[in-house]
Amino acid sequence: MAQTPRLAVGDKAPTFSLPDADGNTVKLSDFTGRKVIVYFYPAASTPGCTKQACDFRDSLAELNDAGLDVVGISPDKPEKLAKFRDAEGLTFPLLSDPEKKVLTAWGAFGEKSMYGKTVQGVIRSTFLVDEKGVVQAAQYNVKATGHVAKLRRDLSV
């Protein structure tokens, strides 16, 4: 299995147009003029992904006040995302990428190590995209727990 190409600071963020939990289309261009945190996670309603999503939810007011929007992307179908959003009270968009095209374009799907085995899967990743669509931070293999707090420290939020 080949390593998926990864994004780096200064790269133009790959565009996307994906359905949210309600089936509405959300595009990266919707965030032009604002900074956006785009994070990729393996599966809605799993323990680690729930912890990470709730950490973003609990930090959303401070992130928004600092001019940062948040978008989560996973391979889950919109119906599963809607259940996850409603169960956890999430107030930021969750986008569905079941074909994993956007995940792959951002380097967030590919070879990873899981329980000592090499597998193909979602690589938990977080990006900061500036007002012009340029990657300002690219973090791969982030931890579900404590990641949002570290991100806030890194961004001084």
Side-chain angles (χ1 to χ4, degrees):
M1 289 186 279
Q3 182 61 45
T4 304
R6 295 203 166 178
L7 297 177
V9 172
D11 287 349
K12 186 81 174 147
T15 61
F16 60 75
S17 179
L18 293 170
D20 68 7
D22 297 316
N24 301 312
T25 300
V26 176
K27 298 181 244 170
L28 180 59
S29 60
D30 295 343
F31 299 94
T32 300
R34 283 188 61 84
K35 292 179 181 168
V36 61
I37 295 167
V38 180
Y39 82 97
F40 295 89
Y41 61 99
S45 301
T46 57
C49 296
T50 298
K51 174 70 176 133
Q52 186 180 23
C54 291
D55 284 350
F56 272 116
R57 176 199 65 204
D58 296 345
S59 296
L60 196 59
E62 291 88 353
L63 292 167
N64 289 166
D65 287 349
L68 297 161
D69 291 323
V70 175
V71 175
I73 301 176
S74 77
D76 298 306
K77 299 262 193 258
E79 303 78 36
K80 185 174 180 189
L81 295 177
K83 286 181 184 163
F84 182 43
R85 176 199 61 204
D86 296 346
E88 303 302 333
L90 304 176
T91 55
F92 54 87
L94 298 175
L95 307 184
S96 172
D97 183 23
E99 281 93 49
K100 303 173 189 81
K101 288 185 174 138
V102 174
L103 283 146
T104 301
W106 287 65
F109 185 82
E111 197 174 283
K112 67 178 189 175
S113 181
M114 198 159 118
Y115 306 115
K117 294 188 174 163
T118 300
V119 298
Q120 284 281 106
V122 175
I123 300 162
R124 191 181 304 276
S125 309
T126 302
F127 303 87
L128 174 62
V129 179
D130 74 10
E131 301 87 345
K132 295 179 181 161
V134 176
V135 175
Q136 295 300 310
Q139 301 174 346
Y140 291 93
N141 297 307
V142 300
K143 302 280 183 230
T145 303
H147 171 63
V148 176
K150 180 186 180 318
L151 186 63
R152 286 182 59 187
R153 281 192 307 275
D154 292 350
L155 298 173
S156 302
V157 174

